[in-house]
Amino acid sequence: MPGKRRILSIAVSAPLLTPAAEAAPTWDCRASASGGWDCYKDGVLVAPEPTVAVQPPPQPAPDAEKLAPKPEVATQPASEVAAQPEPKPKVAAQPVPVPLAAPEQQPEPKQQPTPRTPHQPEVATLQDPAPTSEQPTPGAEFAAIDSGLNWAQCSPGEGFDTLPITTLEGDQTQISADGAEFIRDQDLAIFSGAVEARQGDQILHAQRVEYNNVDDTLHAEQEVLFAQPGLRVGGASADLHLATNSGTLQGVEYRLIDRAARGGADSAEIIDRDRSRYTNISYTTCRPGNSDWLIEAAELELDRASGVGTARNAKVSFKGVPFAYAPYLTFPIDDRRKSGLLTPSIGYSDSNGADISLPYYFNLAPNYDLTLTPRIISERGLMLGGEFRYLLEQHSGELRAELLPSDSASSAHDERGSLSLRANGDPATRWHYDVNLNHVSDDDYFDDLGGSLAVSSTTTLERRADLAYHGNGWHALGRVQNFQTLGTTAESYDRLPQLLFDMNRPDQTLGLTYHLRGEYVSFGKSSGVTGERLDLYPALSLPLRRSWGFLTPKLGVRYTSYDLEDQAPGLEDDPTRTTATLSVDSGLYFERETNWFGDAITQTLEPRLYYLYTPHEDQSALPDFDTAEHGFSFASLFRENRFSGADKVGDANQLTLALTSRNLDRRTGEEFLRASLGQIYYFSDREVQLQSSSGSVDTDDSSAFVAEVAARISRNWRTGAGLQWNPHLDDETEKAAFAVNYNNGEGRLFNFAYRFDDGDYEKTDISASLPLNHQWNLVGRWDYSLMHSATMEAFAGVEYDSCCWSSRLVLRQHRIDANAEPDIGIFLQLELTGLTSLGDRIDQFLEDGILGYTSDPDK
């Protein structure tokens, strides 16, 4: 090959008596200008031996009699070598550690004459000693198709963690083998025994490889394995074109590294770095030896650039039973979106009968998409749902709609449907908008059609649009809002519009903090008093903080005015109110170092005093547009106003005494135990009351005691309790709660909770997840009302996970309220991991119903 200067780096060896520490020599063979080969051993030109041919497998040294001259000597099948008078004994070739880096370029030495035999192909054979020290062979991670792939990790679809492939620069091809043979006239090299060929980030392993230096092609046989980032393909034979990253393989097994998927095929064609095509192929995410679910196709093309697999004449089978066939099928091979069928949903309930949904996804553009969902409800009819989503650089949103043209099961409702819109974005710097619009056709929509696994208890639907501006230490908000009320729920006031301004400016003159809250609202309603309200609340505070405690006095004045319509007779249409509020919040921190069950901890004692004074102001003429009394809790001991909203400002002359103690891990700061106790002492009666209340003045001289405890009993056990105890009542316990939770971090869960609110509810809630082994898991929940002696919700189920597929079966009974008849349903989900899920979203239902449960073990 005169004039050709493509480099072929070769390393070969044979066992000779060499020191163990001696490094393996490196051979660099180049096509010479005269058409032969110039081979350099460690940079030194070596004249080729005239007629020695090396057989690939190791052979015992021949005896002296077999070394006698013969008329002809048989060589490798690719060539014949003329007989030589005294050939040297053949030396057994052995594998040898080979450096991955190409040998440094050496100055081209002076051309030396090369012995040649007339009319015969010229063969160059190289053999060198191997070191006796045992070292890992470079590229050994690809010695077998599953080498280094941890199929036991059981996370299909997430890929394997593998070592990166060493990349060779430029178009250099590097080959190592136990033995090598060069046919100069054909510019052909034949390698045998543990052959490894590299170019760029591609590797080929085989027992025999023929390399053509002219067109840069390889033909490989016996234990062939081709690998590039993200893909491994093994076969009986292979023909590869290195320059174009293409080739064909026969008798194929393949692995998608990034997807933890595998399969086999009669043949494979590597089109380029991203695309490959297969005939009579199978595809699954099950580990080798297990094909519980399988896609089989007459032809399959995988495109890693687009993340899509395309199959023709495909069928999907589970446990050997085909359940889907398609003449043409596309499916994702990574997490990118594409158009196609999504997870079907199949369920059954007493009220709806069979309930089947089959969503179809339209990937309209990278930043917006559409999902249409036909839903067949056997007792009601055919329903159509849709969801449109968009995502821009500064904006996002989704529009959902459902329509049931005619409900066969309801005489009260014919055409039924729902509509919702969620949108938000940042149209300019510091500006933000948020929109939430919702509508349903009737009061019973959620109860009848809200979903087969979850019956919504929603009684009010919000329609709201916000526009906000965030300044430095202040922000402003404009809002329009109204509500659709369902059932017998009382009608709520609309805000058309509401304007809010809030400012907090710390570290001002003398260390003061400036506060200002302003609000304007126009309240609307179909009946009752309506009107406008203006509320202004400026205040000053002086935070004083030290490492051992804090003191924060605060003084504020609140002014509120109204312009009302349909006011009750005898009451003003434009009442006003002005009140002042003084508060002093203070606390101390005490710490000591001690031990708790052998752990070094810091124990704190944190007493806190909070004084609040607001003089009484008659507010009986003011409406209650958006005002209610805060629920009593430990946090409410330190509120400035016992009412929410601006319509009522509670009169107060009171002192809160509270004490908190914590046990903290001295090393990590983690909280082992927290206990808090507090009570308010009143120095005057509370005369301001809501119009909806009895109007009686609260004359008790103290509030209920509020106690809270939270503890980490051990690494897996946690508990918490709360108690509101009122010494002024005959039935002294107003509220109580207790909970204990067990979570071992491996799916074993137990939760128990007791909740009591005098006159409202008393209930227990028990839930659990119990793994029987690494595949089977039991789940269940029981929500029981002690007040009504009725089960509100109960379900029990079983999960099976075989790594590449999982199944969940749940039997559920629930009722909307204590007096309703229970509804019973059976739900099934089959998930083919990395492909699709069939049935109801039981995994999401369990996450909502069992505290700590997750269907994703990596969470």
Side-chain angles (χ1 to χ4, degrees):
M1 291 248 348
K4 187 167 182 68
R5 286 290 180 264
R6 185 176 183 84
I7 297 175
L8 176 63
S9 300
I10 302 144
V12 294
S13 65
L16 293 180
L17 297 177
T18 55
E22 183 178 346
T26 300
W27 289 88
D28 182 6
C29 293
R30 314 176 189 182
S32 66
S34 62
W37 291 86
D38 290 338
C39 294
Y40 299 86
K41 175 183 175 183
D42 293 331
V44 178
L45 181 66
V46 177
E49 299 179 7
T51 58
V52 179
V54 178
Q55 302 294 333
Q59 299 290 337
D63 53 34
E65 183 179 351
K66 293 182 179 179
L67 297 181
K70 295 183 180 180
E72 292 183 353
V73 176
T75 61
Q76 299 286 349
S79 64
E80 295 180 355
V81 181
Q84 300 297 322
E86 293 182 2
K88 296 182 180 179
K90 289 182 263 187
V91 182
Q94 296 288 343
V96 61
V98 180
L100 293 183
E104 296 183 3
Q105 291 289 332
Q106 301 291 336
E108 183 132 346
K110 193 176 205 179
Q111 185 69 34
Q112 298 185 13
T114 304
R116 307 193 57 168
T117 303
H119 311 298
Q120 294 289 340
E122 190 166 357
V123 177
T125 301
L126 304 177
Q127 291 179 313
D128 275 298
T132 58
S133 60
E134 295 185 2
Q135 301 176 20
T137 303
E141 65 271 22
F142 296 114
I145 194 169
D146 287 309
S147 175
L149 306 184
N150 182 18
W151 287 96
Q153 70 186 15
C154 197
S155 56
E158 298 183 2
F160 293 110
D161 295 327
T162 57
L163 295 175
I165 299 177
T166 303
T167 300
L168 297 182
E169 301 297 331
D171 62 351
Q172 182 184 13
T173 300
Q174 178 174 298
I175 304 176
S176 63
D178 292 349
E181 169 184 329
F182 301 93
I183 305 175
R184 296 187 181 89
D185 290 351
Q186 300 180 27
D187 218 8
L188 182 70
I190 303 175
F191 302 90
S192 56
V195 184
E196 178 187 283
R198 290 176 177 260
Q199 186 180 70
D201 55 4
Q202 301 176 102
I203 301 177
L204 177 73
H205 283 264
Q207 291 300 314
R208 175 182 169 84
V209 171
E210 296 181 5
Y211 174 71
N212 190 314
N213 200 34
V214 176
D215 53 14
D216 202 17
T217 60
L218 286 175
H219 171 75
E221 298 175 348
Q222 304 173 29
E223 303 177 21
V224 177
L225 175 62
F226 171 79
Q228 64 183 30
L231 175 67
R232 295 183 189 178
V233 182
S237 63
D239 291 281
L240 303 177
H241 195 292
L242 302 180
T244 60
N245 299 304
S246 62
T248 60
L249 294 92
Q250 304 298 323
V252 170
E253 280 283 324
Y254 70 90
R255 303 291 185 262
L256 296 179
I257 308 301
D258 299 336
R259 196 67 179 171
R262 66 172 187 87
D266 288 350
S267 63
E269 177 186 0
I270 300 172
I271 303 171
D272 53 36
R273 292 184 59 85
D274 295 313
R275 295 180 300 154
S276 53
R277 184 181 295 121
Y278 308 82
T279 58
N280 294 327
I281 188 174
S282 63
Y283 173 90
T284 184
T285 58
C286 297
R287 67 186 65 186
N290 178 358
S291 297
D292 284 347
W293 73 262
L294 204 62
I295 296 179
E296 297 174 283
E299 184 176 318
L300 173 69
E301 182 171 326
L302 301 178
D303 189 340
R304 292 166 54 227
S306 63
V308 174
T310 303
R312 290 171 175 82
N313 295 324
K315 65 177 180 180
V316 182
S317 59
F318 177 69
K319 290 292 185 178
V321 179
F323 65 87
Y325 171 81
Y328 180 83
L329 173 68
T330 62
F331 56 93
I333 60 174
D334 59 22
D335 294 330
R336 281 174 286 185
R337 305 188 312 272
K338 67 175 300 293
S339 298
L341 290 172
L342 297 181
T343 304
S345 175
I346 303 173
Y348 179 87
S349 65
D350 291 345
S351 59
N352 288 342
D355 191 341
I356 303 172
S357 300
L358 186 63
Y360 190 90
Y361 176 78
F362 296 89
N363 186 28
L364 303 178
N367 62 329
Y368 59 90
D369 55 28
L370 172 67
T371 303
L372 294 180
T373 307
R375 180 180 175 188
I376 301 174
I377 308 173
S378 63
E379 296 296 325
R380 299 184 182 276
L382 178 63
M383 186 175 189
L384 180 64
E387 179 187 60
F388 175 77
R389 303 185 302 175
Y390 67 89
L391 179 63
L392 306 175
E393 185 175 353
Q394 302 293 334
H395 311 273
S396 64
E398 61 181 43
L399 174 66
R400 297 183 178 183
E402 293 179 331
L403 178 63
L404 179 63
S406 179
D407 189 348
S408 304
S410 174
S411 58
H413 309 294
D414 186 18
E415 184 176 276
R416 311 181 72 177
S418 67
L419 180 68
S420 69
L421 171 66
R422 290 298 310 269
N424 61 79
D426 304 302
T429 303
R430 295 178 180 266
W431 289 91
H432 179 79
Y433 70 88
D434 186 77
V435 177
N436 182 16
L437 304 177
N438 301 278
H439 174 78
V440 295
S441 58
D442 55 84
D443 293 347
D444 300 321
Y445 185 86
F446 287 115
D447 294 341
D448 296 341
L449 302 169
S452 57
L453 267 182
V455 175
S456 174
S457 59
T458 301
T459 58
T460 302
L461 293 179
E462 182 185 34
R463 293 97 174 250
R464 172 182 52 80
D466 293 349
L467 179 63
Y469 181 86
H470 297 273
N472 295 323
W474 63 274
H475 74 270
L477 172 69
R479 169 179 293 169
V480 290
Q481 181 184 44
N482 74 351
F483 300 90
Q484 179 184 5
T485 55
L486 306 179
T488 58
T489 306
E491 184 182 1
S492 300
Y493 277 98
D494 302 332
R495 294 178 172 91
L496 302 171
Q498 178 184 25
L499 303 176
L500 286 167
F501 179 85
D502 198 2
M503 180 188 74
N504 285 282
R505 300 294 298 272
D507 302 322
Q508 302 301 308
T509 305
L510 302 177
L512 292 169
T513 296
Y514 300 158
H515 308 270
L516 175 61
R517 179 176 174 82
E519 180 189 38
Y520 166 80
V521 194
S522 177
F523 291 100
K525 198 177 181 182
S526 60
S527 62
V529 61
T530 61
E532 302 173 3
R533 183 184 72 195
L534 175 66
D535 182 62
L536 299 174
Y537 183 27
L540 295 173
S541 66
L542 181 63
L544 303 173
R545 294 187 175 276
R546 299 292 185 270
S547 60
W548 43 265
F550 67 92
L551 176 68
T552 305
K554 182 179 180 181
L555 176 64
V557 177
R558 191 165 196 169
Y559 170 79
T560 309
S561 67
Y562 293 84
D563 183 8
L564 304 176
E565 297 179 2
D566 299 324
Q567 177 72 305
L571 297 179
E572 297 180 64
D573 291 336
D574 55 354
T576 62
R577 178 197 62 208
T578 303
T579 60
T581 297
L582 170 68
S583 67
V584 180
D585 195 4
S586 62
L588 296 172
Y589 304 119
F590 299 95
E591 295 182 357
R592 69 166 184 162
E593 295 183 352
T594 183
N595 289 281
W596 193 40
F597 299 106
D599 293 318
I601 66 168
T602 297
Q603 186 178 47
T604 71
L605 195 63
E606 306 167 28
R608 184 176 178 183
L609 295 177
Y610 178 73
Y611 176 75
L612 177 66
Y613 177 74
T614 302
H616 172 255
E617 178 77 15
D618 183 13
Q619 302 171 50
S620 58
L622 305 184
D624 294 338
F625 285 135
D626 60 356
T627 298
E629 191 165 4
H630 284 297
F632 197 69
S633 64
F634 188 79
S636 67
L637 298 176
F638 310 99
R639 296 186 189 275
E640 285 188 358
N641 189 6
R642 62 180 181 271
F643 299 103
S644 63
D647 296 314
K648 294 291 186 290
V649 176
D651 53 326
N653 185 11
Q654 63 191 49
L655 178 67
T656 297
L657 277 68
L659 182 66
T660 297
S661 180
R662 310 172 198 267
N663 285 356
L664 307 173
D665 188 299
R666 197 182 306 167
R667 182 172 47 86
T668 65
E670 183 180 2
E671 187 176 85
F672 289 123
L673 174 69
R674 182 185 72 254
S676 301
L677 177 67
Q679 187 182 29
I680 301 175
Y681 293 91
Y682 301 112
F683 304 123
S684 63
D685 297 337
R686 277 75 60 214
E687 300 183 50
V688 178
Q689 301 293 330
L690 295 174
Q691 292 181 351
S692 58
S693 66
S694 61
S696 60
V697 175
D698 187 351
T699 59
D700 293 336
D701 58 3
S702 64
S703 72
F705 284 98
V706 181
E708 294 181 353
V709 177
R712 194 192 80 175
I713 302 174
S714 67
R715 181 183 299 274
N716 300 329
W717 286 93
R718 295 179 183 274
T719 187
L723 179 67
Q724 183 175 317
W725 182 77
N726 193 335
H728 307 291
L729 299 178
D730 293 335
D731 188 2
E732 297 175 334
T733 300
E734 293 181 323
K735 295 181 181 180
F738 170 76
V740 60
N741 311 104
Y742 174 83
N743 187 340
N744 70 347
E746 298 177 355
R748 189 178 299 272
L749 305 169
F750 174 77
N751 304 298
F752 172 81
Y754 168 83
R755 299 179 181 89
F756 169 79
D757 191 335
D758 190 23
D760 190 6
Y761 59 79
E762 183 177 11
K763 58 189 294 189
T764 59
D765 192 346
I766 303 172
S767 62
S769 173
L770 178 63
L772 302 179
N773 52 41
H774 68 284
Q775 291 183 319
W776 290 94
N777 186 47
L778 300 179
V779 293
R781 182 187 180 190
W782 182 28
D783 183 359
Y784 183 76
S785 172
L786 297 171
M787 177 178 289
H788 300 97
S789 299
T791 296
M792 301 304 297
E793 180 181 45
F795 66 78
V798 60
E799 296 180 287
Y800 177 81
D801 187 355
S802 74
C803 186
C804 69
W805 68 274
S806 59
S807 180
R808 299 176 179 91
L809 176 67
V810 168
L811 173 65
R812 181 190 186 215
Q813 172 188 307
H814 76 283
R815 46 169 48 96
I816 301 171
D817 58 61
N819 298 319
E821 289 296 321
D823 188 47
I824 299 175
I826 300 176
F827 309 99
L828 175 66
Q829 180 184 24
L830 174 63
E831 183 175 356
L832 307 181
T833 310
L835 182 65
T836 189
S837 177
L838 307 172
D840 286 287
R841 288 301 310 271
I842 299 178
D843 51 347
Q844 183 62 55
F845 170 71
L846 295 177
E847 289 182 4
D848 295 338
I850 302 177
L851 180 65
Y853 175 90
T854 176
S855 59
D856 184 354
D858 295 327
K859 285 185 179 180

